[in-house]
Amino acid sequence: MPVKNFVLLFAILCLSVSNAFCWDIIPKPKTEKPEKELCGLNPTWKWMAGPDSTEAIRSMYRQFERWADTTATGYFKPLDMFEKCPRVVSILIDKNVKTGTEGYQIRIKKEEIVVSAKTVRGLFYGLVSLKQLVFPLFKERKPFPCGTILDEPRFTWRGMHLDVSRHFFSVQEVETYIEMLALHKMNVFHWHLTDDQGWRMEVKAFPKLTEVGAFRPQTMNGHHRDKPRTFDGKPYGGFYTQDQIRHIVQYASERMITVIPEIEMPGHCQEMIAAYPELASKDTTTEVMTVWGGTDHILNPFPPTFRFLEKVLDETMALFPSAYIHVGGDEAMKKHWRKNTRIQKFKDSLKLKNEDELQSWFIQQIDHYLVSKGRKLMGWDEILEGGLAQNAAVMSWQGEKGGIEAAKMKHYVVMSPGTHCYFDHYQHEPKSEEPLAIGGLTTLEKVYSYDPQPAVLTADEKKYIMGAQGNVWTEYIQTFSQVQYMVLPRMAALSEVVWTEVPSKNYPGFKQRLQPLSALYGAQGWNWCRKEMP
Ligand code: ACM
């Protein structure tokens, strides 16, 4: 056996012994004080909620019930009245719990479990931990130790993104995605709703965005590097109605998840231009894009375009109560800004030196508009290129450079570098045995090793790092089952990156805790990649 494997095996053996008296929770809690005695929880126990905790309890019970139906009906019986009795799981708001607003405490005794938190959100996370603890008890009759868990997250932005433009996922699939996030205490769902290959949000003011922009005539086969290119010849598309979007936003909020919509501009807009050619910078019509990769179609920067975008953003803001609205800003090819004499004259009239400054000016107009409506703009790190808009937050994807630059300028940042946070990359070698992916190699261990606060930042600058996010671009992900395969268990690793303090992280221990968690994936009918399981 190679020395490396021997060392890993030894570490897992040591952890098995020490974990015999610890809890299998992912992300790993902040402090855990297990005791030798075991908790006697069984199906005869009662589950009771304090009067203040009803909202969290209701949403959690719905999840528990659905799950309990297939595993052990009878565990989760909410009682209206809070009463003191033995063999009970009590769920209470308690302002004296020593954590921040997202934290919780679980006190486990032989004949009593008390989950308490200052807020409903904290209680929800306590219940998520309890769900992970109780599951092996159903499955393997494996009891867990008494003791105390006191927990709260390291970061406030614990995000997962989903691209529904390149491939479209049903409302039910998006609900399941939200369930997946909730089980890992992730709290932001970044919904990538628009891109060159399909517009997915109903906009009442501009019906052609969905009538035209939501459907492409066909889709390329294989990888975008393949030559010659071939196509499937099948029309493809879909979109979410405003009612469906409201439902998703509510569904997520019941699981303590904020939905951040992304409306791309001024690049990645070929589908918008196909529907409304007057928005173009190039003097021809086009179709919704049928190939993967970049496009040189770009919105023009003239006043009617801004009036159009403002109406789109008005409807977006009415649907999404999030503080941040993501406006993309990445990979805008500026060829047609350079070639268009009217745009060049316009740029000169604004005394802008180049097209990067014009893009910055474009984003600033949108920034002012969003701020005037009480919202904040977020964009990919390209929005730094010609000068960052006054109030903008940056999502750093081209490595950490953009995030570092923005944090030094005292702008808020979400780290999402392609090296560690792109879940459309391959996760295992040999790549030939994996489903076709865009490229890269982002293993479970690599995700786990990530620290969103770069060492080059000072303690004060580090405060501008709100957290990190995993991105799921779907050019090569046709089905929801494959989304799950790409995301699980890498999201579990990311959840410890954004929740657990660095000294408490431990990769062999994480892999061990992954085993019961993946059994829970299976119990819920989710697909996941098993190749990194010990
Ligand atoms: C990106 O991956 N183009 C943000």
Side-chain angles (χ1 to χ4, degrees), residues 15 24 33 42 119 132 158 161 170 189 192 205 254 292 327 365 427 441 493 529-530:
L15 275 157
D24 290 331
K33 294 206 173 73
N42 69 46
T119 64
Q132 293 188 11
R158 304 184 298 278
H161 150 287
S170 69
F189 169 41
H192 186 80
E254 285 170 9
W292 312 132
V327 300
Q365 306 314 298
Q427 58 190 308
L441 180 66
C529 176
R530 290 147 170 90

Side-chain angles (χ1 to χ4, degrees), residues 15-24 32-38 143-147:
L15 275 157
S16 313
V17 174
S18 65
N19 271 6
F21 290 102
C22 210
W23 298 285
D24 290 331
E32 297 170 284
K33 294 206 173 73
E35 293 158 8
K36 288 242 156 54
E37 202 164 31
L38 291 174
F144 50 85
C146 296

Side-chain angles (χ1 to χ4, degrees), residues 124 131 169 171 184 272 350 377 432 435 445 468 474 478 484:
F124 181 84
K131 179 171 171 174
F169 302 99
V171 169
H184 298 81
M272 229 198 272
L350 293 169
L377 179 146
S432 56
E445 187 165 9
T474 59
Q478 281 109 348
Q484 293 185 317

Side-chain angles (χ1 to χ4, degrees), residues 79-94:
L79 296 188
D80 291 339
M81 301 287 287
F82 181 68
E83 45 181 277
K84 197 94 188 105
C85 62
R87 290 176 292 280
V88 65
V89 181
S90 314
I91 297 147
L92 318 161
I93 294 283
D94 178 353

Side-chain angles (χ1 to χ4, degrees), residues 161 166 192 195 262 264 268 326 328-331 380-382 395-398 416 418 422 424 471 473 475:
H161 150 287
R166 277 53 178 266
H192 186 80
D195 215 307
E262 182 179 355
E264 280 267 20
H268 281 291
H326 200 302
D330 58 318
E331 299 177 315
W380 300 106
D381 52 56
E382 285 93 332
M395 192 167 265
S396 192
W397 74 279
Q398 301 178 102
S416 192
Y422 268 45
D424 58 334
N471 293 337
W473 304 99
E475 288 94 331

